[in-house]
Amino acid sequence: MTADVRTAVLADLTTLRLGGPVSRYVETDSADALVEVVRAADAAGEPLLVLGGGSNLVVADDGFPGVVVRDVRSGVEVEAADSCGGASIRVPAGQDWDALVARTVDEGWVGVEALSGIPGSTGAAPVQNIGAYGQEVSGVISTVRVWDRERLRVRTLPLVDLQFGYRTSLLKRSLVDPGSPWGPTPRYVVLEVGMQLRSGDLSAPVVYPELARRLGVAIGERAPLRAVREAVLALRRGKGMVLDAVDPDTWSAGSFFTNPVLAEGQATTLPDGAPRFGVRTSRPERSTGPSLGAVDPGLVKTSAAWLIEHAGFGKGFGLPGAVSLSTKHSLALTNRGEGSTAELVALARTIRDGVRDTFGITLEPEPVLVGVSLDDAA
């Protein structure tokens, strides 16, 4: 059990390449060491930021006046794997997510192939219930082992208690709910994620039209696992959503705004041509495969990217400049290499306000904002 303490600047630890210095940066190589750092910081009243891959963070230029801890563990523990029962695995929070997806494809484990190319750590995946191209990680999660900062003990949370929804979970709600005393790290610090995946050569049914077209299959059909992974990676690269050290369009926090979920009545005010998607219930129907639950007839999801573009903010908006919308995807705010967090937040505020003024819909940021807010007028 070790904890390596050093100095650091968050610009070197985030995919946006933004953020100032931290008071103390710690890397841990065991769950016990991670818990000890968190426990000590909380006992001392020291601000705490648990860092994964840094792909979902917007941190102030002033930095973070506390301890930043990063879990550097990796690997996969296979508890059981056979052609009938599938694979039951446990994964440490620090494991790189896309490397895990690649392993599942190599092993013939079905359920996360469409989540290829998403940057970050496995521990972050259940917090915001990552999803893409018709899959969500909640479809394969069986348990999440956490350190509960309030109860001061390790707990194993089963699927039924995790309250998964669109880009949210019990874990995230402990951070964002009004009156929450936690932040910028949730009450529950993820230590390990348990997953149950089916065995097979073919993917889960392909339900996302863009992916189906790319694969040349009909909606609801299956495709070879590796073909799905390669197709998803190609689609993400075309949108600047796969990290590339020489491409500023990928220097982002991914999709900056979540797709708005509207009550059916509010959705009737959307203009003709605005996308409308079904919204699935918060609890998956099963944990042994990529199930997203049943569609809720009272809710409609629309596209944040469509709203942004039709409010007058096209790809590349803000260029020339230090920050801008991606030239490949209007939902990604990018640092072109010389930007600041203050400039990025100002751009996000301009876009949010423009969409609200045009459509009456207020977009919500997807990344965790540390030391900054879209509601600040500075």
Side-chain angles (χ1 to χ4, degrees):
M1 181 181 77
T2 61
D4 181 18
V5 183
R6 63 182 77 174
T7 58
V9 176
L10 280 159
D12 297 329
L13 300 169
T14 61
T15 55
L16 265 169
R17 306 186 178 199
L18 295 176
V22 302
S23 296
R24 185 161 57 99
Y25 173 64
V26 184
E27 292 185 349
T28 59
D29 64 2
S30 72
D32 288 344
L34 176 58
V35 167
E36 183 54 37
V37 172
V38 172
R39 183 203 289 267
D42 285 346
E46 189 175 15
L48 172 72
L49 175 61
V50 176
L51 183 72
S55 60
N56 198 45
L57 282 178
V58 180
V59 185
D61 297 310
D62 292 340
F64 185 70
V67 58
V68 174
V69 57
R70 181 169 175 261
D71 182 357
V72 298
R73 293 176 296 156
S74 62
V76 176
E77 180 180 345
V78 181
E79 293 186 303
D82 59 65
S83 58
C84 296
S88 176
I89 64 175
R90 295 194 299 172
V91 187
Q95 167 65 42
D96 177 81
W97 173 257
D98 190 55
L100 172 63
V101 176
R103 168 80 184 272
T104 67
V105 170
D106 289 342
E107 297 282 357
W109 299 336
V110 180
V112 293
E113 57 279 356
L115 304 183
S116 294
I118 297 177
S121 66
T122 299
V127 177
Q128 67 169 24
N129 187 20
I130 61 171
Y133 297 103
Q135 284 185 343
E136 290 181 348
V137 74
S138 57
V140 298
I141 285 180
S142 54
T143 60
V144 177
R145 188 166 172 260
V146 301
W147 169 252
D148 185 337
R149 299 168 67 193
E150 180 174 271
R151 297 189 182 180
L152 299 179
R153 64 185 180 91
V154 174
R155 299 174 61 190
T156 298
L157 302 176
L159 174 68
V160 68
D161 290 341
L162 288 165
Q163 300 177 20
F164 284 122
Y166 171 64
R167 299 297 177 272
T168 193
S169 66
L170 170 73
L171 312 173
K172 184 175 181 178
R173 291 188 185 101
S174 75
L175 175 63
V176 302
D177 279 353
S180 170
W182 312 104
T185 293
R187 166 182 166 178
Y188 306 99
V189 175
V190 177
L191 305 176
E192 181 183 80
V193 180
M195 299 182 184
Q196 184 73 33
L197 303 111
R198 292 184 289 107
S199 295
D201 297 325
L202 298 178
S203 70
V206 178
V207 298
Y208 198 84
E210 184 183 26
L211 180 58
R213 288 193 298 270
R214 184 86 183 198
L215 289 163
V217 301
I219 297 293
E221 290 185 351
R222 303 173 188 268
L225 280 180
R226 192 166 303 280
V228 172
R229 173 169 168 78
E230 291 171 354
V232 168
L233 289 173
L235 288 170
R236 291 183 64 89
R237 288 192 187 97
K239 299 174 183 178
M241 291 295 190
V242 175
L243 293 177
D244 185 338
V246 299
D247 183 2
D249 274 334
T250 73
W251 304 350
S252 75
S255 297
F256 196 91
F257 295 104
T258 57
N259 290 322
V261 175
L262 312 173
E264 188 177 20
Q266 186 183 8
T268 62
T269 66
L270 288 171
D272 292 341
R276 292 168 170 81
F277 308 105
V279 178
R280 297 182 182 274
T281 53
S282 61
R283 182 177 298 174
E285 294 167 347
R286 62 180 186 276
S287 62
T288 55
S291 170
L292 301 179
V295 172
D296 186 332
L299 298 175
V300 175
K301 182 168 63 177
T302 191
S303 166
W306 189 96
L307 296 174
I308 289 169
E309 291 185 0
H310 287 78
F313 306 106
K315 297 180 181 70
F317 177 83
L319 288 173
V323 299
S324 78
L325 286 178
S326 167
T327 66
K328 302 180 180 72
H329 197 313
S330 56
L331 202 49
L333 276 65
T334 65
N335 166 27
R336 313 308 293 183
E338 300 296 333
S340 68
T341 301
E343 291 169 320
L344 187 95
V345 170
L347 175 62
R349 188 179 299 118
T350 295
I351 293 169
R352 180 203 62 180
D353 293 351
V355 169
R356 182 188 59 208
D357 293 345
T358 303
F359 298 109
I361 296 172
T362 301
L363 297 179
E364 296 294 337
E366 185 167 326
V368 176
L369 307 182
V370 181
V372 294
S373 170
L374 297 195
D375 295 326
D376 293 339

